[in-house]
Amino acid sequence: MLDNKEILEKMDVRKNIGDVVDYVNSIFAKALERKASDIHIEPTEFFLLIRFRQDWDFFMIDKLDRENISPIITRLKVLSKVKIDENKKPQDWKIVYMDSTDNKNIDIRVSTLPTSYWEKIVMRILKPDATLTNIDKLWFIDVNLEKVREALKSSYWIILVAWPTWSGKSTTLFWVLKNYNPLEHNISTLEDPIEYNIEYVNQSQVKPDIWFTFSTWLRSLVRQDPDIIMVWEIRDKETAILAVEAALTWHLVLSTIHTNSATATIQRLINMGVETFLLSSSIRMVISQRLLKKICQNCKKEKNLSEPLLKKVRDFLYPIMDKSEVDSLVFYEWEGCEKCNWSWFKWRLWIHEVLIVEPYLEGMIINKASANEMTELAIKNWMVTILQDALIKAAMGLTTVEQSLQLI
Ligand SMILES: [Zn+2]
């Protein structure tokens, strides 16, 4: 398969794009059809590159003569009603695009940044609310789903860890919020940026330039009689402490943090300076989430694993499953067919690690145990690690053992 550099080299530079209005519309239509999350309009030294991000991969879409840069950027500025002559400063706007396939308005967030070759434009396609409700899309295995549902009944602090940053944390957070009726609870969120609009939820946007940050918002929010609080990200000690206080005063607090595992999150909060006795009694659940590529269900076929690979799989699964059950598992590989277009980039699958902070962990938190020590104890208390989750999904025919083991 060609890599993106080779694909780009093979593409011709197109001079004539026809009517610019039609061209820009065709880019939006194509992005929606391919379920791209972002459209990048990138002026380079010799041409204008248009590429899409789908899941985590980039796809080269068009390579245009540089004379098209100005008309395309001007058209986008007209659509979003911002100053056309401002090109020295970064700008953020929004475009509302009418999707003609189902007559729905789609919000597209637009960001410009001056670069050495003009302005680069990145457009994020904001998925409509309706796509968020399907539980199957979240891929929780039953045992984890049970834990998540149980934890959501409480008023505590729940943290989501997603790695890498774009691995769908907003979808999971909003799925969690969907469990609550906003007319029966007072739900407030502070986001950066607001990605989905939800009816009756009080959504605010971070504005650091006017000091509207996570900590100032949290401080004002306690006077807003909230039940459920969603803090988009814990970035500093002050926000972490305010989140702990909110959870200790009977609010459900949801937030995300930038670490790479469930127990590392606890360690990170301790390192930030959160008092361990407050932390152990406020935090209830940490969900760590990652994306794996999903194999095509049409062309997957059974695969006999090599002995060393099989041994690794057994080492990871014996502790949580019956030996005979593990030995009889079947694994798969991806072959390529018309349906997946010989490319497995199209689909993704989430894998999780759900850590419930139960009394057995509280002592460890208070004694500032290491993340590894906490993980070991959590495994003894039936936490399914993210790697085990991936292997279970490999045995369900959703991904491959090779991909799962890359997580080590
Ligand atoms: Zn296929």
Side-chain angles (χ1 to χ4, degrees), residues 8-9 78 80 95 170 190 213-214 243 248 284 288 304 328 350 360 362 365 367 374 376 391 405 408:
L8 191 60
E9 278 163 5
V78 169
S80 46
I95 291 176
S170 47
L190 184 64
T213 61
F214 292 111
L248 287 173
R284 176 69 183 154
S288 174
N304 290 322
S328 63
W350 282 329
Y360 74 86
E362 284 172 12
I365 295 175
N367 295 321
M374 282 189 257
E376 253 173 56
L391 289 171
L405 291 175
I408 304 177

Side-chain angles (χ1 to χ4, degrees), residues 343-375:
S343 149
W344 70 350
F345 292 138
K346 282 201 294 193
W347 296 290
R348 60 185 180 172
L349 161 77
W350 282 329
I351 49 169
H352 304 99
E353 186 169 287
V354 178
L355 175 72
I356 302 290
V357 181
E358 283 170 305
Y360 74 86
L361 268 180
E362 284 172 12
M364 285 214 133
I365 295 175
I366 288 169
N367 295 321
K368 300 188 181 176
S370 71
N372 283 342
E373 287 170 312
M374 282 189 257
T375 304

Side-chain angles (χ1 to χ4, degrees), residues 296 298-300 334 336-341:
C296 173
N298 190 46
C299 62
K300 71 174 181 193
W334 163 82
C337 70
E338 297 260 301
K339 204 164 178 192
C340 57
N341 205 11

